[in-house]
Amino acid sequence: MASAPHIEPGKETLPLFFGVDVGGTNIKIGLVDDDGNTVVYRKIPTLETEGPQRYMERTTEVIQEICAEIGRPLSDISAIGLATPGTMDIEAGMLLEPHNLPNSYNFPIRDCLSQLTGRPVIYANDANAAAFGEYWLGSGREFRSMILLTLGTGVGGGIIVEDLLIDGEHSHGGELGHIIIDFSENARKIPTGQKGHLEAYASGTAIIKRTHEALAGDLQKESSLHIRVDNGEPLSPLMVSQEASRGDAISLHIVMETARYLGIGIVSLMHTIDPGAVVLGGAINFGGHETSLGRQFLERIRQEVKARAFPVPAEKTVVDFARLGGDAGYLGAAGKARAVTHRDSLNS
Amino acid sequence: MASAPHIEPGKETLPLFFGVDVGGTNIKIGLVDDDGNTVVYRKIPTLETEGPQRYMERTTEVIQEICAEIGRPLSDISAIGLATPGTMDIEAGMLLEPHNLPNSYNFPIRDCLSQLTGRPVIYANDANAAAFGEYWLGSGREFRSMILLTLGTGVGGGIIVEDLLIDGEHSHGGELGHIIIDFSENARKIPTGQKGHLEAYASGTAIIKRTHEALAGDLQKESSLHIRVDNGEPLSPLMVSQEASRGDAISLHIVMETARYLGIGIVSLMHTIDPGAVVLGGAINFGGHETSLGRQFLERIRQEVKARAFPVPAEKTVVDFARLGGDAGYLGAAGKARAVTHRDSLNS
């Protein structure tokens, strides 16, 4: 994240883009140049209860301030990339029923921002935008195609093939938590009742559920989790991660089982898209490359992939953690705006 | 299939493409115009034992003859699309180890044909080419994205999103028989030993295996299949289809279970790609739209999709049979050559 509001010497004439990532708590706004450098970055509270018209107005004010800071008119901005959670209709530019933006249902957010700024706005699902960010500037930058799998409360993700973000014909592309890994009658369910979806096994919610089940198991196994839960702490993926790091067997088992489920889902994606890389993002990564547990988790995923995939993709597909953290969304929104702008200029 | 070797009036200046679809038995060669009309079509025996250099020479002779017939030099052909079975390396233009072309291992087939003809050759996997054919001219023509699922000895397919054929970074894109639908320890295996792949449940081979199991079941149920098998006929998907049409319960059960497995796989694809349409091709379609059994089979797939997918794609995604039959491969090979040619001319 650059803080000095200036454009690198020699790059003054390159196209400029804004990336806007709307979340339930904050809106991240970045001015990004054609090479992916963040020229200016701001974060403002969403204050979602004020409604989408108002938070888009405040976003526009920040965009105008940033333009003033760098001494360029807003008309110099090639395009603005806008990312929001779904459900949404990307083609229509509509928020439909975004669960964590409860005051923003059925709102034409793309055209609202475009009217306020006078600039073209390219709309994307936030997980898909994050995938585009990793593809353009993060763990996927060396590849022609990449899949991001995000592990948080749910399981999400995004798919990019040769600069094309797979939004889907009905704005449901990259709903990677909802590939089916178990067709059996007694498969686990997601909250909406559908059975056997990856998210029912590998999400943060599923980790908590599976851990509760393991603790309540017939053998009532010894676990340091018992002590914390008995002390009134609510079970969380973080708690499981901490106790697994400290050697608790049940916690470690839960982490490794999560890796196994993800590996199974990844194989389906490899045989579908055959991407250069599959990248793991989201809030839950068990420490990532920084910890022994994170590295074990990653190795267990890779092991499952190697056991189940065809030899060539099993050997060549890179499976790794994401790199951009919470910046992936606004960077990818800007990146998608850039890709669409460049494509349109080729086609015109 | 056009037989009269002439180009429609007013279209003499449109780009022309050849599509070449190499199979174990035949090579299909079509001259296709920019609108997808087949101007001339030929089929020659592959005679694979003569080796790939020789069958590419014979293909080139046919191409030259067709050009002579329409009174145009070979240099007027914009590009040639070449489809073969895998394994292959698309980027390198290499056949690697195609099981049904046993004398063609590790052969640079793309450059061979390009050198013989002096034209650019665009290389594709045959199932992916068939998908592109359906997308361009068949059941997918009204959509921006489409998935073809082929049901034959194995399960294959291809994915197209906005004119982009998803070949994959390691030539393994669209290996749709190898998404995992069952992660359990006792999941069915494909011949190479991997567990839980869709192909282990829904392929022609799997249909035969599951039918044998059903006939040998504890109850030794009554089935008209017993009579035919006892008469020495080998069990086949066609036999299952015939007896199901005649009302045999075990046969009908096998067909409907196959539909169920395919529906499960299709849901994973819908939540990944979210295509406009999912199209069922290949030799096994239980009669397609022409028979009551075929229509029941399709309805059972749709029912499974509706039960398991998110509401919006469940409602909007078209699931239907393919239209082009055995022509899809050469048409799609020509179509991919056309798409790449148009893309390159935009980018240059």
Side-chain angles (χ1 to χ4, degrees):
Chain A
M1 264 178 286
S3 56
H6 75 97
I7 294 166
E8 287 183 37
K11 295 187 174 170
E12 295 84 354
T13 59
L14 285 182
L16 289 169
F17 304 90
F18 272 101
V20 176
D21 184 10
V22 178
T25 309
N26 292 305
I27 299 175
K28 296 175 182 177
I29 303 165
L31 176 66
V32 180
D33 74 17
D34 202 49
D35 292 336
N37 301 299
T38 296
V39 181
V40 186
Y41 170 80
R42 293 286 151 72
K43 189 165 80 173
I44 61 172
T46 308
L47 307 178
E48 206 268 329
T49 51
E50 294 182 1
Q53 176 72 31
R54 185 70 198 108
Y55 64 68
M56 280 293 101
E57 285 168 5
R58 285 187 284 102
T59 299
T60 303
E61 286 161 22
V62 172
I63 286 174
Q64 287 164 335
E65 285 166 22
I66 292 174
C67 285
E69 264 181 78
I70 63 160
R72 296 274 284 268
L74 220 167
S75 59
D76 270 14
I77 305 302
S78 297
I80 299 172
L82 172 65
T84 75
T87 60
M88 66 215 303
D89 181 333
I90 290 171
E91 196 165 351
M94 292 282 292
L95 279 168
L96 296 180
E97 297 183 3
H99 288 187
N100 57 350
L101 302 174
N103 300 286
S104 308
Y105 280 23
N106 300 309
F107 183 74
I109 192 163
R110 182 193 62 202
D111 292 353
C112 171
L113 185 60
S114 186
Q115 277 156 24
L116 288 167
T117 58
R119 305 310 306 148
V121 175
I122 312 301
Y123 190 35
N125 173 283
D126 54 2
N128 288 357
F132 204 96
E134 289 291 340
Y135 170 76
W136 185 27
L137 303 166
S139 293
R141 61 188 302 167
E142 290 161 34
F143 304 97
R144 285 180 296 141
S145 52
M146 190 210 81
I147 293 175
L148 173 71
L149 208 56
T150 58
L151 197 51
T153 308
V155 174
I159 304 166
I160 294 99
V161 181
E162 295 183 18
D163 272 8
L164 183 70
L165 178 56
I166 311 262
D167 289 320
E169 198 121 346
H170 320 99
S171 305
H172 277 72
E175 291 284 358
L176 304 182
H178 302 282
I179 55 181
I180 294 172
I181 63 169
D182 180 5
F183 70 73
S184 68
E185 279 310 306
N186 55 358
R188 291 179 182 274
K189 290 180 187 175
I190 55 171
T192 48
Q194 286 104 334
K195 283 182 193 169
H197 292 211
L198 175 58
E199 183 164 290
Y201 294 82
S203 67
T205 307
I207 288 171
I208 294 170
K209 188 166 192 303
R210 285 165 37 225
T211 307
H212 273 302
E213 289 171 7
L215 292 175
D218 285 350
L219 301 173
Q220 279 281 357
K221 290 176 198 132
E222 294 243 344
S223 169
S224 52
L225 288 168
H226 278 306
I227 301 162
R228 293 180 66 172
V229 172
D230 291 349
N231 280 343
E233 272 192 77
L235 248 179
S236 68
L238 179 63
M239 194 198 293
V240 173
S241 180
Q242 288 167 342
E243 296 310 315
S245 290
R246 288 170 193 149
D248 177 62
I250 285 185
S251 300
L252 191 61
H253 176 74
I254 294 288
V255 173
M256 293 304 137
E257 277 291 287
T258 305
R260 186 168 83 89
Y261 295 133
L262 289 171
I264 290 163
I266 287 169
V267 170
S268 288
L269 294 170
M270 284 165 60
H271 291 161
T272 305
I273 307 293
D274 183 21
V278 178
V279 170
L280 301 155
I284 303 173
N285 70 357
F286 305 107
H289 284 300
E290 305 306 310
T291 68
S292 167
L293 180 67
R295 293 188 296 271
Q296 272 180 274
F297 172 68
L298 183 60
E299 269 317 306
R300 182 68 188 83
I301 295 173
R302 289 173 173 163
Q303 181 192 336
E304 193 70 25
V305 165
K306 285 214 193 308
R308 290 183 180 264
F310 279 135
V312 171
E315 188 201 335
K316 295 194 174 174
T317 310
V318 170
V319 179
D320 205 346
F321 288 117
R323 273 187 222 167
L324 303 180
D327 294 342
Y330 86 82
L331 287 168
K336 185 185 174 188
R338 173 179 172 273
V340 170
T341 303
H342 286 319
R343 202 183 306 147
D344 288 351
S345 73
L346 278 176
N347 290 344
S348 65
Chain B
M1 264 177 285
S3 55
H6 74 97
I7 294 166
E8 288 184 36
K11 294 187 173 168
E12 295 85 353
T13 59
L14 285 181
L16 289 169
F17 304 91
F18 273 101
V20 176
D21 184 11
V22 179
T25 309
N26 292 304
I27 299 175
K28 297 175 181 176
I29 303 165
L31 177 67
V32 180
D33 74 15
D34 202 49
D35 292 336
N37 301 298
T38 296
V39 181
V40 186
Y41 170 81
R42 293 285 152 73
K43 189 165 81 174
I44 61 172
T46 309
L47 307 178
E48 207 268 329
T49 52
E50 294 182 1
Q53 176 72 31
R54 185 70 199 109
Y55 64 68
M56 280 293 101
E57 284 168 5
R58 284 187 285 101
T59 298
T60 302
E61 286 160 22
V62 172
I63 286 173
Q64 287 164 335
E65 284 165 23
I66 292 174
C67 285
E69 264 182 78
I70 62 159
R72 296 275 284 269
L74 220 166
S75 58
D76 270 14
I77 305 302
S78 298
I80 300 172
L82 172 66
T84 75
T87 58
M88 66 216 302
D89 181 334
I90 291 171
E91 195 165 352
M94 292 283 292
L95 279 169
L96 297 179
E97 297 182 4
H99 288 186
N100 57 350
L101 302 174
N103 300 285
S104 307
Y105 279 24
N106 300 310
F107 182 75
I109 192 164
R110 182 192 63 201
D111 292 353
C112 172
L113 184 60
S114 186
Q115 276 157 24
L116 287 167
T117 59
R119 305 311 305 147
V121 175
I122 312 300
Y123 190 35
N125 173 282
D126 54 2
N128 288 358
F132 204 96
E134 290 289 341
Y135 170 75
W136 185 28
L137 303 167
S139 293
R141 60 189 303 167
E142 290 162 35
F143 304 96
R144 285 179 296 142
S145 53
M146 192 210 78
I147 293 175
L148 174 71
L149 208 55
T150 58
L151 196 51
T153 308
V155 174
I159 304 166
I160 295 99
V161 181
E162 295 183 18
D163 272 8
L164 183 70
L165 178 56
I166 311 258
D167 290 319
E169 198 121 348
H170 320 98
S171 306
H172 278 71
E175 291 285 358
L176 305 182
H178 302 282
I179 55 179
I180 294 172
I181 63 169
D182 180 4
F183 69 72
S184 68
E185 279 309 307
N186 55 358
R188 291 179 182 274
K189 290 180 188 175
I190 55 171
T192 47
Q194 285 105 335
K195 283 184 194 168
H197 291 211
L198 175 60
E199 184 164 289
Y201 294 82
S203 67
T205 307
I207 288 171
I208 295 171
K209 187 166 193 300
R210 284 167 35 226
T211 308
H212 274 301
E213 289 172 7
L215 292 175
D218 285 351
L219 301 172
Q220 278 281 357
K221 292 176 197 131
E222 294 244 342
S223 170
S224 53
L225 289 167
H226 278 306
I227 302 162
R228 294 180 67 173
V229 171
D230 291 350
N231 281 342
E233 273 191 77
L235 247 180
S236 69
L238 179 63
M239 193 197 294
V240 173
S241 179
Q242 288 168 341
E243 296 310 316
S245 290
R246 288 169 191 149
D248 178 61
I250 285 184
S251 300
L252 192 61
H253 175 74
I254 294 287
V255 173
M256 293 304 137
E257 277 290 288
T258 305
R260 187 169 82 88
Y261 295 134
L262 289 171
I264 291 163
I266 286 170
V267 170
S268 288
L269 294 170
M270 284 166 60
H271 290 161
T272 305
I273 306 293
D274 182 22
V278 178
V279 170
L280 301 154
I284 304 173
N285 69 357
F286 304 107
H289 285 299
E290 305 306 310
T291 69
S292 166
L293 180 66
R295 293 190 295 271
Q296 272 181 274
F297 171 68
L298 183 61
E299 270 316 307
R300 182 68 189 84
I301 294 173
R302 289 173 173 164
Q303 182 191 336
E304 193 70 25
V305 165
K306 285 214 193 309
R308 290 182 180 265
F310 279 133
V312 171
E315 189 201 334
K316 296 194 174 174
T317 309
V318 170
V319 179
D320 205 346
F321 289 118
R323 275 186 220 166
L324 303 179
D327 294 342
Y330 85 84
L331 287 168
K336 184 185 175 187
R338 173 180 172 272
V340 170
T341 303
H342 286 319
R343 202 182 307 148
D344 288 351
S345 74
L346 277 175
N347 290 343
S348 65

